[in-house]
Amino acid sequence: MNSREVIMGRIRDALTLAPPVEQEIPRAYRTGRTMSSEQRVELLVDRLLDYKAIVHRSASDELPDVLARVLADVGARRVGVPAGLDDSWLSRFAGEVVADSSDMPAPQLSELDGVVTASTVTCAETGTIFLDGSAAQGRRALTLVPDLHVCVVTIESIEVGVPEALARLVPERPTTLISGPSATSDIELERVEGVHGPRNLHVVIVR
């Protein structure tokens, strides 16, 4: 008997011993919390800065200029985007824009200087940005392999807490949660960045 058969056998035994009736999962979460737009933004900015993300603010009609400036400031010349991203967002960017596709092998994504995406919803309380893999957000590899991620967050998509944010997600979609640049700590509690994703996260909050 190999390891797989042992594991599957244990799972079957556990299911046999499980209660025959479905158990109700309590979901009495605290929901419905509200804040003004200004309060939500300030709370989110506080969390993002604490995570060492870099925050920019923009009006909707200023977004192409803001994105071009952010990318120029970091020296990005070749930038990846999801196939469904609004073309106007990078209309002022002087470099090369590469539309991602499933045909592009993940290792090739490391040749990009960065990636620009939209977002689905953001939790102000935890500073967490949710990506759901939709057309303007792309596949997970696109936002994990390049060393720079510039993520656009609209004020309307910012919720106060986790339950409020989760309520706006489609459960069947693949969801990526981003709380600051990728970082972890080694055995001596020294911060190590870029282990599981981009070391540099720029968040553009659009009003």
Side-chain angles (χ1 to χ4, degrees):
M1 182 177 291
N2 58 37
S3 299
R4 182 181 183 279
E5 292 171 338
V6 171
I7 293 172
M8 296 304 295
R10 291 176 179 175
I11 292 174
R12 284 191 291 270
D13 291 343
L15 290 174
T16 301
L17 297 173
V21 181
E22 291 186 4
Q23 301 297 303
E24 182 178 351
I25 300 174
R27 301 188 183 276
Y29 310 127
R30 181 175 58 173
T31 60
R33 288 175 293 167
T34 59
M35 288 181 175
S36 67
S37 296
E38 182 178 349
Q39 289 174 321
R40 295 198 312 274
V41 169
E42 293 308 317
L43 179 59
L44 173 61
V45 169
D46 176 75
R47 299 298 191 266
L48 290 172
L49 293 178
D50 189 52
Y51 292 149
K52 302 186 184 305
I54 299 175
V55 179
H56 311 268
R57 305 192 192 214
S58 172
S60 58
D61 58 347
E62 298 170 346
L63 184 58
D65 291 310
V66 172
L67 288 174
R69 185 177 69 249
V70 170
L71 294 171
D73 288 347
V74 299
R77 301 300 303 163
R78 190 166 187 264
V79 174
V81 298
L85 193 75
D86 188 336
D87 292 338
S88 68
W89 283 15
L90 291 179
S91 59
R92 304 300 296 273
F93 175 55
E96 179 185 0
V97 177
V98 179
D100 184 41
S101 74
S102 58
D103 296 330
M104 183 184 296
Q108 287 188 15
L109 296 173
S110 63
E111 300 173 5
L112 299 172
D113 296 324
V115 57
V116 177
T117 74
S119 57
T120 297
V121 65
T122 299
C123 173
E125 192 170 56
T126 63
T128 303
I129 301 169
F130 295 74
L131 309 181
D132 70 356
S134 56
Q137 295 160 51
R139 55 176 172 157
R140 183 168 291 157
L142 180 64
T143 57
L144 294 181
V145 177
D147 199 42
L148 165 70
H149 182 192
V150 180
C151 188
V152 176
V153 171
T154 64
I155 287 181
E156 294 78 13
S157 71
I158 302 173
E159 293 287 351
V160 178
V162 172
E164 291 83 5
L166 290 177
R168 295 179 60 167
L169 296 174
V170 178
E172 293 77 17
R173 298 197 66 84
T175 304
T176 302
L177 280 64
I178 302 171
S179 295
S182 171
T184 187
S185 296
D186 63 17
I187 195 171
E188 296 179 349
L189 300 182
E190 292 290 333
R191 181 182 173 93
V192 181
E193 298 178 342
V195 177
H196 309 295
R199 292 179 298 170
N200 302 287
L201 174 65
H202 288 247
V203 179
V204 181
I205 301 176
V206 181
R207 62 183 183 276

